[in-house]
Each structure stands twice: as structure tokens, then as C-alpha cells.
Amino acid sequence: IQQNIKRPVGLGMLILFPILLILILGQALSGIFSAGQVALDMKIGYYSEEKGRLYDGFRMFLKQRDELEITGEETVSISAGEDKTRQGEYQAFIILYEQQKHCELVLNSNSGVQAGIVEGLLSRFFDRFHFYNLVVRYAPGAIDSVLTEKETDFVSHSALHASRQPRAIDYFGITILTMSILYSAFLGSHGVIKEKTIKTLSRIYTAPVTKMQFLLGTCLGTLCQVLIQLAALFLVGNYILDIYYG
């Protein structure tokens, strides 16, 4: 135990290196974890041979998605839209079929999460579109009031800690603290292997020390060293770096 604690350089590196790593990663990746509404910044193409209700409704639906920064662009042909999607200019390409009242979705292989968002938006659009068609068919006099009715949001969002949004330094502070705990297991096993590697294990056994005493001493020394490191990381993170541990 005394041997592990009396090495100030090694113990200082175990404390300073994780703190510097938290600071560097927290500053470098702070923009990724910035709070606020996330803009999708998506560009999708669409094409329709006929200009009817489906075409007009889809264009109106795209205008209502401006707050998500989803840009829609009409193409001159299906092949032109597919080429731009293949080249990565569009995240998705939509072909509208006016007569059949459905569409075909062509996705970019690199769209990832954005492809799922486009599919969800299309499902929402067609649900509303078919609802409006039913209103026109069975109650045409009510279509104006239905179209002008403000869309109701049935889900309200709230956060338990709305005033405290997680930052990049919070994520990395907790992650590195957890990794330091896992690193202690490596230090404990390394202490035994080191004694065997430098050929001092046989000389230790010549002393009046049992194998259990040697093992417990190595583990306790490592445990004290790790506890000092974790305590220093927690105090610096909590009171100086203002890391939110939850």
C-alpha cells in the first residue's frame, strides 16, 4: 500500500490524465450535445406525372415542415430524381401516383436515420390525405373547417431537469469515471503479473509471507490508489468542472 501511494508521479498522472481527457473531449465535442431544437437539414425530391389533389396536398404538407428544415424539390423526370438520390444530393426521392393515390419511396443508401424520418412523415401525410378525401366524399360542406382547423398536439413534453441540459463534458465525465473504475481491475492483475515478470515473486515467497497475504496486499494497495484517483476525479469534476452526475 505504501509503495503505491508513495509514487507521486504515477499517482499524479492517474489523476491529471483523465481530467485533461475530460476537458479536451468536452470542449471538442460540445457542439454535438448543444441543447435546442435539432434541425434535420434534409433535402428530398419528388415527381408526379399528374397534378391533382395528391400533388397539391403533398406540396402543402412540405411547406408545413419548414420548421424541421426539410426542403422539397420537384424533378423533371423519375430518372433525374433517382440520379440525384444515387449521388447523395437527395436523402430520399418520392414518386407520386395520382390515380392510385399512393407513392413510391426511393432512399439513399447513406440516409440512415433520415430515411426513417421520411417514412414516418409520409405515413402521416397519407393518413391525413385519406381522411380529407373521406370528408370530401361524405361531408363536403365541412372540408373548409377541417382544413383551417389548427392541428392538435396530443403529446406534451416535459423534463425532470428542464433547466439543466446535459453537456458533452457531463457525458465524458461520467464515462471516464466509470472507465477508471474498470481500469482498477487491470491494475490489480497487472501488479501480480509484474512481480512474476521481473523475477521478484520467488524472492517474495522466501519471506514469511503466504500467497494469500501477498495477493491481499497487492489488491489493497491498488484499491487505495484507485480510491484516491476516483475521489480526486469526483471532487474536481463536481466542484471545479461542474459535471452533472445525475
Side-chain angles (χ1 to χ4, degrees), residues 78-106:
I78 295 177
S79 59
E82 290 178 344
D83 289 339
K84 289 187 176 182
T85 305
R86 191 178 298 108
Q87 295 168 4
E89 184 175 345
Y90 297 154
Q91 276 73 41
F93 176 60
I94 301 168
I95 306 171
L96 300 172
Y97 297 98
E98 188 70 37
Q99 296 296 329
Q100 294 84 358
K101 296 294 185 292
H102 81 282
C103 73
E104 179 181 350
L105 178 61
V106 180

PDB file of all heavy atoms in Angstrom, residues 78-106:
ATOM      1  N   ILE A  78     -38.464  10.941 -63.458  1.00  0.00           N
ATOM      2  CA  ILE A  78     -38.127   9.953 -62.435  1.00  0.00           C
ATOM      3  C   ILE A  78     -36.634   9.645 -62.461  1.00  0.00           C
ATOM      4  O   ILE A  78     -35.984   9.540 -61.413  1.00  0.00           O
ATOM      5  CB  ILE A  78     -38.949   8.671 -62.647  1.00  0.00           C
ATOM      6  CG1 ILE A  78     -40.441   8.954 -62.438  1.00  0.00           C
ATOM      7  CG2 ILE A  78     -38.484   7.568 -61.703  1.00  0.00           C
ATOM      8  CD1 ILE A  78     -41.341   7.757 -62.696  1.00  0.00           C
ATOM      9  N   SER A  79     -36.074   9.506 -63.659  1.00  0.00           N
ATOM     10  CA  SER A  79     -34.650   9.170 -63.759  1.00  0.00           C
ATOM     11  C   SER A  79     -33.771  10.276 -63.182  1.00  0.00           C
ATOM     12  O   SER A  79     -32.743   9.989 -62.553  1.00  0.00           O
ATOM     13  CB  SER A  79     -34.282   8.914 -65.222  1.00  0.00           C
ATOM     14  OG  SER A  79     -34.553  10.073 -66.014  1.00  0.00           O
ATOM     15  N   ALA A  80     -34.182  11.535 -63.378  1.00  0.00           N
ATOM     16  CA  ALA A  80     -33.394  12.642 -62.832  1.00  0.00           C
ATOM     17  C   ALA A  80     -33.407  12.609 -61.308  1.00  0.00           C
ATOM     18  O   ALA A  80     -32.382  12.843 -60.653  1.00  0.00           O
ATOM     19  CB  ALA A  80     -33.948  13.978 -63.335  1.00  0.00           C
ATOM     20  N   GLY A  81     -34.565  12.307 -60.724  1.00  0.00           N
ATOM     21  CA  GLY A  81     -34.655  12.216 -59.269  1.00  0.00           C
ATOM     22  C   GLY A  81     -33.864  11.058 -58.718  1.00  0.00           C
ATOM     23  O   GLY A  81     -33.201  11.168 -57.679  1.00  0.00           O
ATOM     24  N   GLU A  82     -33.908   9.918 -59.395  1.00  0.00           N
ATOM     25  CA  GLU A  82     -33.149   8.754 -58.936  1.00  0.00           C
ATOM     26  C   GLU A  82     -31.646   9.000 -59.028  1.00  0.00           C
ATOM     27  O   GLU A  82     -30.878   8.559 -58.164  1.00  0.00           O
ATOM     28  CB  GLU A  82     -33.546   7.524 -59.762  1.00  0.00           C
ATOM     29  CG  GLU A  82     -34.970   7.041 -59.460  1.00  0.00           C
ATOM     30  CD  GLU A  82     -35.354   5.863 -60.323  1.00  0.00           C
ATOM     31  OE1 GLU A  82     -34.652   5.616 -61.342  1.00  0.00           O
ATOM     32  OE2 GLU A  82     -36.348   5.177 -59.990  1.00  0.00           O
ATOM     33  N   ASP A  83     -31.214   9.707 -60.087  1.00  0.00           N
ATOM     34  CA  ASP A  83     -29.784  10.009 -60.226  1.00  0.00           C
ATOM     35  C   ASP A  83     -29.307  10.912 -59.093  1.00  0.00           C
ATOM     36  O   ASP A  83     -28.224  10.696 -58.517  1.00  0.00           O
ATOM     37  CB  ASP A  83     -29.511  10.676 -61.567  1.00  0.00           C
ATOM     38  CG  ASP A  83     -29.658   9.707 -62.733  1.00  0.00           C
ATOM     39  OD1 ASP A  83     -29.575   8.483 -62.489  1.00  0.00           O
ATOM     40  OD2 ASP A  83     -29.874  10.168 -63.870  1.00  0.00           O
ATOM     41  N   LYS A  84     -30.078  11.940 -58.747  1.00  0.00           N
ATOM     42  CA  LYS A  84     -29.686  12.848 -57.663  1.00  0.00           C
ATOM     43  C   LYS A  84     -29.702  12.134 -56.309  1.00  0.00           C
ATOM     44  O   LYS A  84     -28.888  12.443 -55.433  1.00  0.00           O
ATOM     45  CB  LYS A  84     -30.618  14.050 -57.631  1.00  0.00           C
ATOM     46  CG  LYS A  84     -30.413  15.003 -58.802  1.00  0.00           C
ATOM     47  CD  LYS A  84     -31.242  16.267 -58.656  1.00  0.00           C
ATOM     48  CE  LYS A  84     -30.956  17.244 -59.783  1.00  0.00           C
ATOM     49  NZ  LYS A  84     -31.713  18.506 -59.632  1.00  0.00           N
ATOM     50  N   THR A  85     -30.611  11.183 -56.156  1.00  0.00           N
ATOM     51  CA  THR A  85     -30.637  10.403 -54.915  1.00  0.00           C
ATOM     52  C   THR A  85     -29.423   9.486 -54.830  1.00  0.00           C
ATOM     53  O   THR A  85     -28.803   9.337 -53.776  1.00  0.00           O
ATOM     54  CB  THR A  85     -31.930   9.566 -54.844  1.00  0.00           C
ATOM     55  OG1 THR A  85     -33.056  10.419 -55.003  1.00  0.00           O
ATOM     56  CG2 THR A  85     -32.032   8.846 -53.511  1.00  0.00           C
ATOM     57  N   ARG A  86     -29.075   8.889 -55.954  1.00  0.00           N
ATOM     58  CA  ARG A  86     -27.911   7.999 -56.002  1.00  0.00           C
ATOM     59  C   ARG A  86     -26.619   8.772 -55.734  1.00  0.00           C
ATOM     60  O   ARG A  86     -25.684   8.261 -55.107  1.00  0.00           O
ATOM     61  CB  ARG A  86     -27.845   7.312 -57.363  1.00  0.00           C
ATOM     62  CG  ARG A  86     -26.845   6.177 -57.435  1.00  0.00           C
ATOM     63  CD  ARG A  86     -26.870   5.507 -58.796  1.00  0.00           C
ATOM     64  NE  ARG A  86     -28.168   4.907 -59.073  1.00  0.00           N
ATOM     65  CZ  ARG A  86     -29.038   5.395 -59.965  1.00  0.00           C
ATOM     66  NH1 ARG A  86     -28.745   6.483 -60.660  1.00  0.00           N
ATOM     67  NH2 ARG A  86     -30.198   4.794 -60.173  1.00  0.00           N
ATOM     68  N   GLN A  87     -26.562  10.024 -56.186  1.00  0.00           N
ATOM     69  CA  GLN A  87     -25.366  10.847 -55.991  1.00  0.00           C
ATOM     70  C   GLN A  87     -25.301  11.470 -54.600  1.00  0.00           C
ATOM     71  O   GLN A  87     -24.290  12.078 -54.252  1.00  0.00           O
ATOM     72  CB  GLN A  87     -25.325  11.947 -57.051  1.00  0.00           C
ATOM     73  CG  GLN A  87     -25.165  11.420 -58.465  1.00  0.00           C
ATOM     74  CD  GLN A  87     -25.415  12.478 -59.524  1.00  0.00           C
ATOM     75  OE1 GLN A  87     -25.644  13.654 -59.202  1.00  0.00           O
ATOM     76  NE2 GLN A  87     -25.386  12.076 -60.787  1.00  0.00           N
ATOM     77  N   GLY A  88     -26.378  11.344 -53.824  1.00  0.00           N
ATOM     78  CA  GLY A  88     -26.371  11.867 -52.465  1.00  0.00           C
ATOM     79  C   GLY A  88     -26.928  13.264 -52.328  1.00  0.00           C
ATOM     80  O   GLY A  88     -26.944  13.820 -51.221  1.00  0.00           O
ATOM     81  N   GLU A  89     -27.419  13.860 -53.418  1.00  0.00           N
ATOM     82  CA  GLU A  89     -27.999  15.207 -53.315  1.00  0.00           C
ATOM     83  C   GLU A  89     -29.338  15.171 -52.581  1.00  0.00           C
ATOM     84  O   GLU A  89     -29.673  16.107 -51.858  1.00  0.00           O
ATOM     85  CB  GLU A  89     -28.175  15.798 -54.714  1.00  0.00           C
ATOM     86  CG  GLU A  89     -28.669  17.230 -54.717  1.00  0.00           C
ATOM     87  CD  GLU A  89     -28.726  17.839 -56.107  1.00  0.00           C
ATOM     88  OE1 GLU A  89     -28.116  17.264 -57.030  1.00  0.00           O
ATOM     89  OE2 GLU A  89     -29.389  18.884 -56.264  1.00  0.00           O
ATOM     90  N   TYR A  90     -30.111  14.104 -52.784  1.00  0.00           N
ATOM     91  CA  TYR A  90     -31.364  13.897 -52.066  1.00  0.00           C
ATOM     92  C   TYR A  90     -31.175  12.778 -51.047  1.00  0.00           C
ATOM     93  O   TYR A  90     -30.515  11.777 -51.331  1.00  0.00           O
ATOM     94  CB  TYR A  90     -32.506  13.497 -53.007  1.00  0.00           C
ATOM     95  CG  TYR A  90     -32.893  14.528 -54.041  1.00  0.00           C
ATOM     96  CD1 TYR A  90     -33.485  14.136 -55.239  1.00  0.00           C
ATOM     97  CD2 TYR A  90     -32.673  15.883 -53.822  1.00  0.00           C
ATOM     98  CE1 TYR A  90     -33.853  15.069 -56.193  1.00  0.00           C
ATOM     99  CE2 TYR A  90     -33.032  16.816 -54.772  1.00  0.00           C
ATOM    100  CZ  TYR A  90     -33.618  16.401 -55.963  1.00  0.00           C
ATOM    101  OH  TYR A  90     -33.980  17.330 -56.913  1.00  0.00           O
ATOM    102  N   GLN A  91     -31.777  12.961 -49.860  1.00  0.00           N
ATOM    103  CA  GLN A  91     -31.818  11.861 -48.901  1.00  0.00           C
ATOM    104  C   GLN A  91     -32.891  10.838 -49.289  1.00  0.00           C
ATOM    105  O   GLN A  91     -32.805   9.670 -48.928  1.00  0.00           O
ATOM    106  CB  GLN A  91     -32.104  12.391 -47.492  1.00  0.00           C
ATOM    107  CG  GLN A  91     -30.886  12.881 -46.747  1.00  0.00           C
ATOM    108  CD  GLN A  91     -30.394  14.202 -47.294  1.00  0.00           C
ATOM    109  OE1 GLN A  91     -31.188  15.074 -47.617  1.00  0.00           O
ATOM    110  NE2 GLN A  91     -29.089  14.370 -47.398  1.00  0.00           N
ATOM    111  N   ALA A  92     -33.895  11.311 -50.032  1.00  0.00           N
ATOM    112  CA  ALA A  92     -34.971  10.423 -50.481  1.00  0.00           C
ATOM    113  C   ALA A  92     -35.618  11.035 -51.713  1.00  0.00           C
ATOM    114  O   ALA A  92     -35.587  12.255 -51.916  1.00  0.00           O
ATOM    115  CB  ALA A  92     -36.010  10.212 -49.379  1.00  0.00           C
ATOM    116  N   PHE A  93     -36.209  10.173 -52.524  1.00  0.00           N
ATOM    117  CA  PHE A  93     -36.926  10.607 -53.722  1.00  0.00           C
ATOM    118  C   PHE A  93     -38.300   9.953 -53.711  1.00  0.00           C
ATOM    119  O   PHE A  93     -38.418   8.742 -53.529  1.00  0.00           O
ATOM    120  CB  PHE A  93     -36.152  10.230 -54.985  1.00  0.00           C
ATOM    121  CG  PHE A  93     -36.866  10.569 -56.255  1.00  0.00           C
ATOM    122  CD1 PHE A  93     -37.213  11.879 -56.554  1.00  0.00           C
ATOM    123  CD2 PHE A  93     -37.203   9.571 -57.156  1.00  0.00           C
ATOM    124  CE1 PHE A  93     -37.875  12.196 -57.729  1.00  0.00           C
ATOM    125  CE2 PHE A  93     -37.868   9.864 -58.334  1.00  0.00           C
ATOM    126  CZ  PHE A  93     -38.204  11.181 -58.625  1.00  0.00           C
ATOM    127  N   ILE A  94     -39.342  10.759 -53.909  1.00  0.00           N
ATOM    128  CA  ILE A  94     -40.722  10.286 -53.787  1.00  0.00           C
ATOM    129  C   ILE A  94     -41.411  10.410 -55.139  1.00  0.00           C
ATOM    130  O   ILE A  94     -41.416  11.489 -55.748  1.00  0.00           O
ATOM    131  CB  ILE A  94     -41.483  11.098 -52.728  1.00  0.00           C
ATOM    132  CG1 ILE A  94     -40.767  10.962 -51.366  1.00  0.00           C
ATOM    133  CG2 ILE A  94     -42.932  10.636 -52.621  1.00  0.00           C
ATOM    134  CD1 ILE A  94     -41.253  11.935 -50.331  1.00  0.00           C
ATOM    135  N   ILE A  95     -42.002   9.322 -55.600  1.00  0.00           N
ATOM    136  CA  ILE A  95     -42.768   9.312 -56.852  1.00  0.00           C
ATOM    137  C   ILE A  95     -44.245   9.214 -56.488  1.00  0.00           C
ATOM    138  O   ILE A  95     -44.675   8.246 -55.852  1.00  0.00           O
ATOM    139  CB  ILE A  95     -42.356   8.116 -57.734  1.00  0.00           C
ATOM    140  CG1 ILE A  95     -40.843   8.114 -57.962  1.00  0.00           C
ATOM    141  CG2 ILE A  95     -43.099   8.166 -59.068  1.00  0.00           C
ATOM    142  CD1 ILE A  95     -40.335   6.851 -58.640  1.00  0.00           C
ATOM    143  N   LEU A  96     -45.006  10.215 -56.853  1.00  0.00           N
ATOM    144  CA  LEU A  96     -46.436  10.284 -56.523  1.00  0.00           C
ATOM    145  C   LEU A  96     -47.251   9.716 -57.678  1.00  0.00           C
ATOM    146  O   LEU A  96     -47.048  10.090 -58.846  1.00  0.00           O
ATOM    147  CB  LEU A  96     -46.858  11.732 -56.254  1.00  0.00           C
ATOM    148  CG  LEU A  96     -46.128  12.444 -55.102  1.00  0.00           C
ATOM    149  CD1 LEU A  96     -46.512  13.918 -55.068  1.00  0.00           C
ATOM    150  CD2 LEU A  96     -46.445  11.778 -53.778  1.00  0.00           C
ATOM    151  N   TYR A  97     -48.194   8.835 -57.366  1.00  0.00           N
ATOM    152  CA  TYR A  97     -49.112   8.257 -58.353  1.00  0.00           C
ATOM    153  C   TYR A  97     -50.511   8.782 -58.052  1.00  0.00           C
ATOM    154  O   TYR A  97     -51.153   8.356 -57.085  1.00  0.00           O
ATOM    155  CB  TYR A  97     -49.068   6.730 -58.300  1.00  0.00           C
ATOM    156  CG  TYR A  97     -47.716   6.155 -58.661  1.00  0.00           C
ATOM    157  CD1 TYR A  97     -46.820   5.773 -57.672  1.00  0.00           C
ATOM    158  CD2 TYR A  97     -47.342   6.000 -59.991  1.00  0.00           C
ATOM    159  CE1 TYR A  97     -45.575   5.249 -57.999  1.00  0.00           C
ATOM    160  CE2 TYR A  97     -46.097   5.470 -60.331  1.00  0.00           C
ATOM    161  CZ  TYR A  97     -45.218   5.103 -59.322  1.00  0.00           C
ATOM    162  OH  TYR A  97     -43.993   4.591 -59.645  1.00  0.00           O
ATOM    163  N   GLU A  98     -50.958   9.708 -58.895  1.00  0.00           N
ATOM    164  CA  GLU A  98     -52.212  10.420 -58.637  1.00  0.00           C
ATOM    165  C   GLU A  98     -53.417   9.495 -58.718  1.00  0.00           C
ATOM    166  O   GLU A  98     -54.320   9.557 -57.875  1.00  0.00           O
ATOM    167  CB  GLU A  98     -52.362  11.571 -59.632  1.00  0.00           C
ATOM    168  CG  GLU A  98     -53.531  12.504 -59.346  1.00  0.00           C
ATOM    169  CD  GLU A  98     -53.297  13.346 -58.109  1.00  0.00           C
ATOM    170  OE1 GLU A  98     -52.146  13.760 -57.871  1.00  0.00           O
ATOM    171  OE2 GLU A  98     -54.278  13.574 -57.377  1.00  0.00           O
ATOM    172  N   GLN A  99     -53.462   8.620 -59.708  1.00  0.00           N
ATOM    173  CA  GLN A  99     -54.622   7.763 -59.895  1.00  0.00           C
ATOM    174  C   GLN A  99     -54.751   6.724 -58.787  1.00  0.00           C
ATOM    175  O   GLN A  99     -55.835   6.494 -58.245  1.00  0.00           O
ATOM    176  CB  GLN A  99     -54.543   7.063 -61.266  1.00  0.00           C
ATOM    177  CG  GLN A  99     -54.593   8.015 -62.453  1.00  0.00           C
ATOM    178  CD  GLN A  99     -55.920   8.753 -62.538  1.00  0.00           C
ATOM    179  OE1 GLN A  99     -56.973   8.233 -62.148  1.00  0.00           O
ATOM    180  NE2 GLN A  99     -55.866   9.986 -63.038  1.00  0.00           N
ATOM    181  N   GLN A 100     -53.644   6.099 -58.435  1.00  0.00           N
ATOM    182  CA  GLN A 100     -53.669   5.051 -57.415  1.00  0.00           C
ATOM    183  C   GLN A 100     -53.668   5.611 -55.993  1.00  0.00           C
ATOM    184  O   GLN A 100     -53.865   4.870 -55.030  1.00  0.00           O
ATOM    185  CB  GLN A 100     -52.471   4.113 -57.587  1.00  0.00           C
ATOM    186  CG  GLN A 100     -52.496   3.302 -58.862  1.00  0.00           C
ATOM    187  CD  GLN A 100     -51.920   4.078 -60.045  1.00  0.00           C
ATOM    188  OE1 GLN A 100     -51.535   5.231 -59.915  1.00  0.00           O
ATOM    189  NE2 GLN A 100     -51.882   3.441 -61.209  1.00  0.00           N
ATOM    190  N   LYS A 101     -53.388   6.920 -55.853  1.00  0.00           N
ATOM    191  CA  LYS A 101     -53.356   7.586 -54.542  1.00  0.00           C
ATOM    192  C   LYS A 101     -52.333   6.932 -53.600  1.00  0.00           C
ATOM    193  O   LYS A 101     -52.606   6.637 -52.447  1.00  0.00           O
ATOM    194  CB  LYS A 101     -54.750   7.569 -53.895  1.00  0.00           C
ATOM    195  CG  LYS A 101     -55.800   8.367 -54.679  1.00  0.00           C
ATOM    196  CD  LYS A 101     -55.483   9.835 -54.668  1.00  0.00           C
ATOM    197  CE  LYS A 101     -56.578  10.660 -55.339  1.00  0.00           C
ATOM    198  NZ  LYS A 101     -56.684  10.438 -56.797  1.00  0.00           N
ATOM    199  N   HIS A 102     -51.147   6.695 -54.127  1.00  0.00           N
ATOM    200  CA  HIS A 102     -50.070   6.194 -53.285  1.00  0.00           C
ATOM    201  C   HIS A 102     -48.753   6.703 -53.858  1.00  0.00           C
ATOM    202  O   HIS A 102     -48.731   7.422 -54.871  1.00  0.00           O
ATOM    203  CB  HIS A 102     -50.102   4.661 -53.179  1.00  0.00           C
ATOM    204  CG  HIS A 102     -49.482   3.955 -54.335  1.00  0.00           C
ATOM    205  ND1 HIS A 102     -50.124   3.791 -55.535  1.00  0.00           N
ATOM    206  CD2 HIS A 102     -48.260   3.366 -54.470  1.00  0.00           C
ATOM    207  CE1 HIS A 102     -49.350   3.132 -56.368  1.00  0.00           C
ATOM    208  NE2 HIS A 102     -48.206   2.861 -55.749  1.00  0.00           N
ATOM    209  N   CYS A 103     -47.645   6.340 -53.235  1.00  0.00           N
ATOM    210  CA  CYS A 103     -46.345   6.833 -53.686  1.00  0.00           C
ATOM    211  C   CYS A 103     -45.312   5.717 -53.599  1.00  0.00           C
ATOM    212  O   CYS A 103     -45.519   4.697 -52.939  1.00  0.00           O
ATOM    213  CB  CYS A 103     -45.896   8.037 -52.854  1.00  0.00           C
ATOM    214  SG  CYS A 103     -45.366   7.603 -51.177  1.00  0.00           S
ATOM    215  N   GLU A 104     -44.196   5.959 -54.240  1.00  0.00           N
ATOM    216  CA  GLU A 104     -43.032   5.058 -54.169  1.00  0.00           C
ATOM    217  C   GLU A 104     -41.869   5.845 -53.581  1.00  0.00           C
ATOM    218  O   GLU A 104     -41.564   6.953 -54.041  1.00  0.00           O
ATOM    219  CB  GLU A 104     -42.679   4.534 -55.555  1.00  0.00           C
ATOM    220  CG  GLU A 104     -41.473   3.605 -55.555  1.00  0.00           C
ATOM    221  CD  GLU A 104     -41.119   3.126 -56.951  1.00  0.00           C
ATOM    222  OE1 GLU A 104     -41.919   3.364 -57.883  1.00  0.00           O
ATOM    223  OE2 GLU A 104     -40.027   2.526 -57.106  1.00  0.00           O
ATOM    224  N   LEU A 105     -41.225   5.284 -52.588  1.00  0.00           N
ATOM    225  CA  LEU A 105     -40.141   5.957 -51.889  1.00  0.00           C
ATOM    226  C   LEU A 105     -38.807   5.324 -52.277  1.00  0.00           C
ATOM    227  O   LEU A 105     -38.604   4.131 -52.083  1.00  0.00           O
ATOM    228  CB  LEU A 105     -40.343   5.872 -50.370  1.00  0.00           C
ATOM    229  CG  LEU A 105     -39.262   6.488 -49.484  1.00  0.00           C
ATOM    230  CD1 LEU A 105     -39.125   7.983 -49.736  1.00  0.00           C
ATOM    231  CD2 LEU A 105     -39.568   6.224 -48.010  1.00  0.00           C
ATOM    232  N   VAL A 106     -37.910   6.139 -52.822  1.00  0.00           N
ATOM    233  CA  VAL A 106     -36.569   5.699 -53.189  1.00  0.00           C
ATOM    234  C   VAL A 106     -35.595   6.336 -52.209  1.00  0.00           C
ATOM    235  O   VAL A 106     -35.523   7.558 -52.091  1.00  0.00           O
ATOM    236  CB  VAL A 106     -36.214   6.116 -54.632  1.00  0.00           C
ATOM    237  CG1 VAL A 106     -34.806   5.632 -54.997  1.00  0.00           C
ATOM    238  CG2 VAL A 106     -37.238   5.567 -55.610  1.00  0.00           C
TER     239      VAL A 106
END
